[in-house]
């Protein structure tokens, strides 16, 4: 049993738990814990770590760009909301003025229409009366 635990490539009899080149696992005692042992002979972990650092830096710069774009969009939306509020206030004021002028001058318009209709009926009556003769 001692000879099987010191075979080349097997660390503490961990051959069945080997995950990939450079990494191996072993069970500790009788518990369910698994220890991970890194075998530096099979992989360039420094290159992988450097690659991961570059990817993390890229992700950080992308996140910063997203943050700045989100801030810009929020400012733009705030400006649009203020413009919309001002436009709504202007429309409301103009509608109020228009309603006020319609109410003030609306009675005069109705009076003019009624007088015009009476004048038209009178003219038609006179034409009908004189045309029979």
């Amino acid at each position: 049993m001692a000879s099987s635990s010191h075979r080349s490539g097997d660390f503490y009899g961990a051959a069945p738990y080997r995950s990939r080149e450079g990494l191996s696992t072993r069970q500790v005692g009788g518990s369910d814990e698994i220890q991970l042992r890194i075998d530096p002979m099979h992989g360039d972990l420094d290159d992988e770590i450097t690659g991961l650092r570059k990817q993390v830096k890229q992700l950080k710069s992308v996140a910063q760009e997203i943050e700045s774009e989100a801030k810009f969009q929020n400012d733009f939306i705030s400006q649009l909301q203020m413009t919309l509020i001002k436009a709504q206030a202007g429309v409301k004021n103009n509608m109020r003025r228009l309603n006020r002028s319609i109410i003030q001058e609306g009675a005069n318009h109705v009076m003019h229409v009624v007088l015009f209709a009476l004048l038209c009926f009178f003219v038609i009556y006179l034409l009908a009366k004189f045309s029979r003769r």
Side-chain angles (χ1 to χ4, degrees):
M1 194 161 185
S3 64
S4 68
S5 65
H6 288 67
R7 286 184 289 172
S8 66
D10 289 348
F11 296 101
Y12 302 102
Y17 299 109
R18 194 148 184 104
S19 60
R20 63 176 239 198
E21 295 285 328
L23 298 177
S24 62
T25 58
R26 66 179 175 153
Q27 291 208 346
V28 179
S31 70
D32 292 334
E33 293 180 11
I34 296 176
Q35 288 186 354
L36 181 66
R37 178 182 168 99
I38 299 173
D39 188 4
M41 300 201 45
H42 293 293
D44 291 341
L45 296 178
D46 289 338
D47 292 340
E48 290 183 29
I49 290 172
T50 303
L52 288 174
R53 282 184 180 156
K54 288 179 183 176
Q55 289 178 353
V56 167
K57 286 179 183 177
Q58 287 176 346
L59 287 174
K60 184 179 178 182
S61 66
V62 168
Q64 289 172 344
E65 287 294 322
I66 290 172
E67 180 184 12
S68 65
E69 182 66 24
K71 286 180 181 178
F72 174 77
Q73 294 292 332
N74 284 338
D75 292 342
F76 184 69
I77 288 172
S78 296
Q79 290 175 355
L80 282 177
Q81 285 177 338
M82 290 303 296
T83 303
L84 182 63
I85 289 170
K86 289 177 184 178
Q88 285 176 338
V91 168
K92 188 175 181 180
N93 286 338
N94 287 336
M95 287 298 293
R96 190 177 304 134
R97 288 179 190 162
L98 185 61
N99 285 336
R100 193 178 313 134
S101 68
I102 288 173
I103 289 170
Q104 287 175 355
E105 297 178 15
N108 292 337
H109 289 295
V110 171
M111 183 73 136
H112 289 131
V113 169
V114 169
L115 287 175
F116 179 74
L118 287 174
L119 180 66
C120 287
F121 285 128
F122 183 71
V123 169
I124 292 173
Y125 173 76
L126 289 177
L127 286 174
K129 190 167 190 174
F130 289 122
S131 68
R132 288 186 188 175
R133 288 192 183 176

